[in-house]
Each structure stands twice: as structure tokens, then as C-alpha cells.
Amino acid sequence: MKKLMTVALAATALQAGAAEFRLPAYETTTLPNGLTVILMERHEVPLVSVRAVVKAGAVHDASKAGLADMTGDALLLGTPRHTKAQIDQAFDFRGADISGGSGAEQSGLFASFKAEDTAALLPLFAEIVQQPGFDKAELGKLRDRKVDELKQAKEHPRNVVQNYYRAMLFGSTPYASPASGTVSTVSALTPDDVKGFHQRFYRPDNAAIVVVGDFKAADMKAQLASLFGGWKASGPALPAQVNGKPQAGGPRVWLVNKPDALETTFLIGGAGIARNDPDYVPLQVVNTVLGGRFTSWLNDELRVNSGLTYGARSEFATFTQAGTFAISSFTATEKTAPALELALKTYNRLWDKGIDKATLESAKAYVKGQYPPRFETSAQLAGLLGEMFVAGMGREQIDNFMRDVDSLTPARVRALVDKHFPRKALQMVMIGNAEKIRPIAQKYGTVTELDITADGFQPR
């Protein structure tokens, strides 16, 4: 099966004065073994960016939180033919970059190098993806480092507040699984766990190879077919998985006690949207007004006008099947009550006053100005194409971005606010000195108390 994308990068003047942005042409091909190959030629700079993207992440960790993350990082620990030091030397010697990683729903390997080094480095890249060695000693050192990082993470509430928030909203479903795991789960991971995860999920019919840069598509296809064509899937195709929806119910507060805290870190919100939601683009504009830039309502009120915090923002965090919305900030313990009150008062301006035309036009101009630079480099475009593969997105959301922004009106904004911004039964996470902020928390819903020193992010 082959699908050729032929719409090229175009810049034409729109009524609003911004340039229309369209994705450059790219080609999607499926190899006989089920591997998706996505190629985008860009000859302006003699560089190549390649990504191996696997539909496997924290949502597939089951009871072993942190396993996908460990596996993604462990790809670079060596293969049966090349040690970690040899891999590092091969890329460093040529001024190239390579890294592995994992998130909520995807894992993979990412590299950038000079076009002239493709013949030397692409075969090594393919070897790492398909045949990692998972050396026991190196895995042990990696696991120990991750455990140490997890032990330190809770010293800084802003590092972990999102983990508590997702656990609160998604309960026992896969989206609640913390990508980095917990001290107990990561400490228990074994080489067999990592090998098993790789064998189960790193398979051609669950993956894509994305290449963007200075190459000829026909030559690159032939090279990728040679390097990856022999990659075989083990067992039947992976079944579809339901990863969870935000839990409904009354207003709740998770109060996470950190007795030595001098600040209260908080998130307020509820259910959001999936990454491929048709309202994704216009919601970025609306959120820009509320809390998506330095001059947003939230930052103006909580930082500039009142001095209650050094920053406040809001965000729609999206996954393939669901998402969350949250206002986030932090404040000195003694200022917790006024900060929360002001954050909620500012949030309610979306309904009480709405967004006027002048404010909306300013946000639209800001969003349009910020958008094209996000997809200028080959590495950025490769990342976008990988994200689109995992989320099951077509190019329409990107190509229609400017149109969707320009068509947004105050009336449309009101409809979007009513549809997507949670107003009732708000969910809140507060991390701070519980003894001092407990009475405040009780004003906002049913309170569940947790201790930040306890392992994990769920109530016991």
C-alpha cells in the first residue's frame, strides 16, 4: 500500500496577513512486513533526521511502571555486534546525535547526521532498533540511575504534580501510569522485563521509520527495505487497547503533604481533548488568552498584577484517546488562599465576560507567528510526522491551521469554551504543607490526603 502526499510547502498571503503553512510533500509506504516508512525530502541543508517510532509507551507498562522508559533508554546500551562505547564513538566522531526515549504512548530512537554519513550510520541505527543487546551490567547501572532520579524528583513538587494529576483523573487506567515509573517498580525491573517489552512491542507492524532531509526517496526506500525488510513480528498482531477516560464525579482535591514545603504547587481542571480532536487548533488560540503566553490573563493576574507567583499558565495535554486541561501555578504557603481564589476568578472570565474581538485578534496573531517556526528543521518535521503516525492524524490539521485560526470569532470562542473547558466539578491537586493548607483545600471539594514520601502517586 502506498500513499503519495504531493502538497508542497506554500506561502500565500491571507486576508489576515499571515503566510499559509502547509506541510512539505512526503511519501508514506508500507513494507511487506508491515513497517510504515515515511519519507520527506528537504535539500536546503545536507542533513538527515531519522526516527524509529514505536506505538508503545507508559500505557503499556501494566504493573511495571517505568518499563517502556527503561527500554527506550536501554536501546543505546549496545548490540551483540557493537558496544555502547562503539556506538557513542561512531556518532560522536561524525558530529552526529542519537538518543532513545519513551513517553505515554510512544517510544523510539532518534538520530541526526550529515547526509554524507548516511551509509555509515543508518545501518547502525537499524541494528540498534532491531537487535539491542540489553547488557545486564549496563542495564543495572541505568536502573540505579533512574531510581536515584526518582528518589530526588519529589523534592521538587513541580516535577511530579502532573503525575498526581493524571493519577487522580485516570484512576487505575493506563493513562494514569507515570512514564518514569516509581521507586519500587523501577527497582524491580529485570533484564528479562526489558527484553520482553522490546520483543512484544518493537515490531514492524507497530512501528514507523521516519526520514526527513537531504536524500533521494527512491534510494532511501531501497536502503530501508534492505535494512528493515527482514524485521519480523513475533506472534499475532497487537490488540487495540483502551487507555482510559478522565473520571467524572463531584469536585475533588488531592492534598499531597510535604511538611517542609514553603510553597503550594497546584493544578486545577478536568477532562480535555484527544490529539486528533477537530477543535484542537482553535482551542490553542483560546488557551493562549487564558494561560498560554506570558501576557495571558492568568500570568497577568497572578504574577504581574498581584505578585502572588512567578508564573501561571494553562494547558490542554493531549493523548490519542483522551486528554486533560489544567491551570497550574505555585505560591508561598501563606498566599495559597488568595492565589487559588484569583486563579479561579480569572478562569471564570471565560464565561463571565468572554473574549472580546481585540483580545482574540491579538491571540490569533501570536499563535500564527509561533506556529511555522515549530516545523522548520528536519528534526522538527520528523518529530511531527512521528507524532502524526502514533495519533492517527492526517495532514489536514496542519495544512488548515492558518484557516482554522483566522476563522475563529468571539461567538465560536464562546461555543468552544462551553464545550471543552471544564467548569463544574473541578479537580484539584495541591502539594504543600497539609497542616497549613488543609482548611483551604476543604473549600474546593472532597479531600483525599497523600504523603509525598510514599512511593508512587496513588492513594494507599
Side-chain angles (χ1 to χ4, degrees):
M1 176 181 176
K2 179 177 176 181
K3 184 179 181 184
L4 183 62
M5 300 296 191
T6 58
V7 181
L9 181 65
T12 56
L14 295 177
Q15 248 182 350
E20 184 178 4
F21 177 81
R22 294 183 184 276
L23 276 176
Y26 66 92
E27 179 179 339
T28 301
T29 305
T30 303
L31 300 185
N33 62 359
L35 179 66
T36 299
V37 173
I38 304 172
L39 305 177
M40 178 186 286
E41 291 187 41
R42 286 172 62 82
H43 302 288
E44 299 90 342
V45 180
L47 295 174
V48 172
S49 290
V50 57
R51 300 175 73 92
V53 184
V54 180
K55 293 179 180 179
V59 295
H60 300 100
D61 283 344
S63 61
K64 299 179 179 180
L67 179 54
D69 179 65
M70 175 77 79
T71 306
D73 287 347
L75 292 174
L76 292 170
L77 298 181
T79 73
R81 294 174 54 197
H82 294 91
T83 65
K84 179 180 183 298
Q86 289 171 328
I87 292 171
D88 291 342
Q89 184 179 18
F91 279 84
D92 290 346
F93 177 75
R94 294 174 172 85
D97 296 320
I98 186 167
S99 61
S102 177
E105 296 176 289
Q106 65 172 287
S107 301
L109 191 68
F110 326 114
S112 293
F113 40 78
K114 291 179 291 186
E116 64 187 47
D117 292 326
T118 301
L121 296 181
L122 191 58
L124 182 55
F125 180 93
E127 179 184 325
I128 295 167
V129 172
Q130 299 171 79
Q131 303 163 25
F134 298 133
D135 178 80
K136 184 176 180 180
E138 292 289 350
L139 268 175
K141 290 188 285 187
L142 175 63
R143 181 189 58 210
D144 291 345
R145 288 197 301 272
K146 287 185 174 294
V147 170
D148 288 342
E149 290 169 359
L150 287 166
K151 289 178 179 177
Q152 296 170 12
K154 289 189 175 184
E155 290 299 316
H156 305 283
R158 275 169 270 169
N159 291 341
V160 296
V161 65
Q162 284 284 354
N163 288 338
Y164 285 107
Y165 189 60
R166 284 194 296 272
M168 180 186 192
L169 284 163
F170 290 108
S172 60
T173 65
Y175 276 140
S177 180
S180 297
T182 71
V183 171
S184 62
T185 60
V186 175
S187 297
L189 293 179
T190 68
D192 286 343
D193 291 328
V194 175
K195 292 174 184 177
F197 190 92
H198 183 273
Q199 182 179 20
R200 176 170 171 75
F201 293 105
Y202 283 67
R203 45 188 287 161
D205 57 353
N206 193 46
I209 304 299
V210 182
V211 189
V212 179
D214 189 18
F215 58 84
K216 296 291 186 182
D219 295 339
M220 181 59 70
K221 278 189 290 185
Q223 190 171 5
L224 292 175
S226 174
L227 293 171
F228 290 95
W231 192 10
K232 303 298 182 183
S234 176
L238 296 171
Q241 176 174 296
V242 176
N243 294 323
K245 299 289 184 184
Q247 297 178 348
R252 296 181 297 161
V253 181
W254 276 19
L255 176 58
V256 184
N257 185 31
K258 190 174 188 299
D260 62 346
L262 302 178
E263 296 178 338
T264 300
T265 300
F266 61 86
L267 291 180
I268 309 169
I273 59 169
R275 179 63 180 87
N276 61 357
D277 191 288
D279 291 331
Y280 176 86
V281 170
L283 282 173
Q284 305 312 303
V285 182
V286 180
N287 187 65
T288 292
V289 175
L290 175 64
R293 62 177 174 177
F294 186 79
T295 57
S296 67
W297 287 353
L298 285 167
N299 203 58
D300 271 352
E301 293 297 336
L302 272 78
R303 172 180 171 148
V304 179
N305 297 339
S306 67
L308 289 171
T309 180
Y310 284 113
R313 65 191 309 270
S314 59
E315 179 185 22
F316 283 93
T318 59
F319 305 115
T320 62
Q321 299 174 22
T324 64
F325 168 79
I327 294 167
S328 59
S329 190
F330 58 96
T331 189
T333 302
E334 63 273 15
K335 297 180 180 179
T336 300
L340 288 172
E341 290 171 6
L342 185 56
L344 290 169
K345 179 181 178 181
T346 304
Y347 181 47
N348 277 297
R349 282 172 59 183
L350 287 173
W351 291 273
D352 297 340
K353 295 183 179 180
I355 298 176
D356 61 72
K357 185 175 182 180
T359 302
L360 178 60
E361 292 303 317
S362 172
K364 288 160 67 171
Y366 175 85
V367 170
K368 289 189 294 184
Q370 294 290 310
Y371 193 69
R374 293 167 53 190
F375 307 120
E376 288 181 335
T377 69
S378 293
Q380 289 171 326
L381 286 164
L384 172 63
L385 293 172
E387 180 184 355
M388 292 167 62
F389 166 74
V390 173
M393 290 169 51
R395 62 179 299 142
E396 295 79 14
Q397 188 184 92
I398 310 300
D399 288 347
N400 296 333
F401 183 91
M402 296 298 184
R403 183 203 67 185
D404 290 344
V405 171
D406 279 327
S407 64
L408 196 54
T409 64
R412 173 70 172 140
V413 166
R414 285 193 294 272
L416 289 169
V417 168
D418 288 338
K419 181 178 181 181
H420 292 296
F421 284 81
R423 190 178 191 187
K424 298 179 180 179
L426 291 174
Q427 310 293 292
M428 184 183 301
V429 171
M430 300 170 61
I431 304 179
N433 186 318
E435 191 65 30
K436 295 181 178 180
I437 61 177
R438 185 179 295 112
I440 301 169
Q442 292 169 346
K443 296 178 181 179
Y444 293 103
T446 303
V447 176
T448 299
E449 293 202 23
L450 302 84
D451 192 317
I452 201 165
T453 62
D455 189 44
F457 304 95
Q458 296 274 9
R460 292 187 176 276

